[in-house]
Amino acid sequence: MSQTTLLQSKAISNATRSTLFKTFLRARRLQSTLTLKETFANQIPSRIEEIKSFKKQYGKTVIDQVTLDQAYGGMRGIKSMVWEGSVLDPEEGIRFRGLTIPEIKAKLPHGPGDSQEPLPEGLFWLLLTGEIPTEQQVRQLSTDLASRSELPEHVVKLLDSLPKDLHPMAQFSMAITALESESKFAKAYASGVNRSEYWNYSYEDSLDLLGKLPMIASKIYRNVFKDGKIGGSIDLNKDYGANLATLLGFENKDFTELMRLYLTIHSDHEGGNVSAHTTHLVGSALSSPFLSLAAGMNGLAGPLHGRANQEVLEWLFKLRDEVNGDYSKESIEKYLWDTLNSGRVIPGYGHAVLRKTDPRYMAQRDFAQRHFPNYELFKLVSMIYEVAPKVLTKHGKTKNPWPNVDSHSGVLLQYYGLNEASFYTVLFGVSRAFGVLPQLIIDRAVGAPIERPKSFSTEKYKQLVAQIQKSSS
Ligand code: CMX
């Protein structure tokens, strides 16, 4: 019987009801003041037990079959990973712990005052624990992350020494790798800590890392594109998005709102995408969270993945130059065909899993409609949204002619004056850390094994196929 039902039951006396009510309230109060680490630590035994008994009962159940096409086709669609934070439905899009983006926006704590956007710290809590944190818990987490922001001197020196024409993503990955010197996990492992404690040190590293990412990102931004000085200082009372906006040098209230939304929706997109999978794979060798995330960021830097947000902007600007103010459907359609006929992809369109417009695109479109419906570039992006799916369908190659997350993000940043497109993937990377680090901590808590799928040579596959054909004839 639940506590609420018990309290309503006629079978108990008023005195018992009053005692029960007080106990219930005390438990609720205690629960709502637990830190993220305490909340997660409490869950570990039952998580381990749940997986153990699930495997014991159903471990030999066949959950998928693999074709030769899939082996040659980037392993598309093969069910072979466990990822707790989110599941991606081809038609509906992402659900974070079962919640859609509109539900996340409604349920997670928002920024202060009249903020309408969810806090990425809250999403991190949800992804790690499956629970929605209270306002108080999220504020505490924001302060915890802000208190970890300082960079070691060698990382600052490293960033200051890099040439300005080194891509911001290469700088980002190098700085994260260089933070390895701070890894509590690596030190604990070297000193022979018991494996049941791995999660604890990975948790600390993950929070240290999240805390330092705004400093790293801002240092890169200010070094490469501005005067080299960070835009402001960390405030322990501000939330993550607000601190990031300040450090980058943007004090606009709406830009801060954009950062909250941006960091929340770019965080997690199942485990099989390149950045998430790479972080998970490298982490499975017990590399520290710093080395694991840096590996994931190198994958995010690819133009078919996170760097598509930069490609979109550059492609949009070329389009703008080429059509010379003529934003008619006909001239946009011609530009789309020119791109396709020259053997290039339309950046920001298509997806390996999705078969509809990405809800992350819609969340950004909604933001633009609320904040700057008449902005020229927003109108252009909207016009492309009307034309491109038809052109891609006619072109007949892509399985998904609809826009993805990267199709819209750059235009939002442009509106607020963050014009430097080569920096955009770094912001994606800061957000992606919120999605991939929870799984790394969970993996360490439940003792996930080193990942090692099987590969065959073409020769060996031929033998296998011949064998299968022979036995079925
Ligand atoms: N423009 C032109 N052709 C496209 C296309 C696009 N936007 N998207 C897919 N295609 C082509 C593929 O190149 C492939 O061609 P070939 O058979 O000649 O190799 C064919 O259509 C089938 O591809 P698919 O099965 O539909 O898509 P994939 O799962 O192979 O690839 C993705 C997915 C995202 C890499 C691809 O759609 C693409 O390159 N899009 C443009 C880049 C982009 O926006 N990437 C960002 C994705 C989101 C993210 O990770 O951040």
Side-chain angles (χ1 to χ4, degrees), residues 165-184:
D165 59 356
L166 178 63
H167 193 279
M169 276 306 277
Q171 301 200 23
F172 193 53
S173 152
M174 285 168 82
I176 295 171
T177 301
L179 280 176
E180 175 69 0
S181 56
E182 312 306 294
S183 174
K184 291 166 182 148

Side-chain angles (χ1 to χ4, degrees), residues 76 304-305 308 340 345-346 348-350 352 397-399 404 406:
R76 206 67 89 254
L304 295 187
H305 190 20
L340 291 168
V345 294
I346 306 293
Y349 278 76
K397 270 196 167 184
T398 178
K399 295 186 191 70
N404 60 54
D406 298 314

Side-chain angles (χ1 to χ4, degrees), residues 2 11 14 72 94 98-99 115 131 146 179 184 186 246 294 317 342 360 367 404 406 410 413 423 431 449:
S2 77
N14 279 342
Y72 279 93
I94 195 71
L99 300 174
S115 165
E131 294 173 6
L179 280 176
K184 291 166 182 148
T246 301
F317 283 153
S342 64
R360 300 172 299 174
F367 187 95
N404 60 54
D406 298 314
L413 297 168
F423 182 70
S431 170

Side-chain angles (χ1 to χ4, degrees), residues 347-362:
Y349 278 76
H351 198 272
V353 181
L354 284 170
R355 294 296 174 257
K356 282 273 168 67
T357 299
D358 192 334
R360 300 172 299 174
Y361 175 94
M362 293 312 284

Side-chain angles (χ1 to χ4, degrees), residues 172 176 208-218 240 293 429-430 433:
F172 193 53
I176 295 171
D208 282 345
L209 184 43
L210 282 175
K212 293 178 196 317
L213 289 180
M215 276 291 196
I216 294 179
S218 307
Y240 197 91
L293 185 75
V430 175

Side-chain angles (χ1 to χ4, degrees), residues 50-92:
E50 184 189 9
I51 295 171
K52 204 169 134 193
S53 71
F54 186 43
K55 273 170 52 187
K56 191 170 171 208
Q57 198 173 358
Y58 299 108
K60 301 285 177 272
T61 309
V62 176
I63 55 167
D64 214 340
Q65 287 185 322
V66 182
T67 63
L68 192 65
D69 274 345
Q70 285 174 301
Y72 279 93
M75 300 187 283
R76 206 67 89 254
I78 303 170
K79 290 186 212 79
S80 54
M81 278 183 82
V82 180
W83 195 264
E84 306 292 1
S86 64
V87 177
L88 182 55
D89 180 86
E91 303 292 321
E92 186 194 45

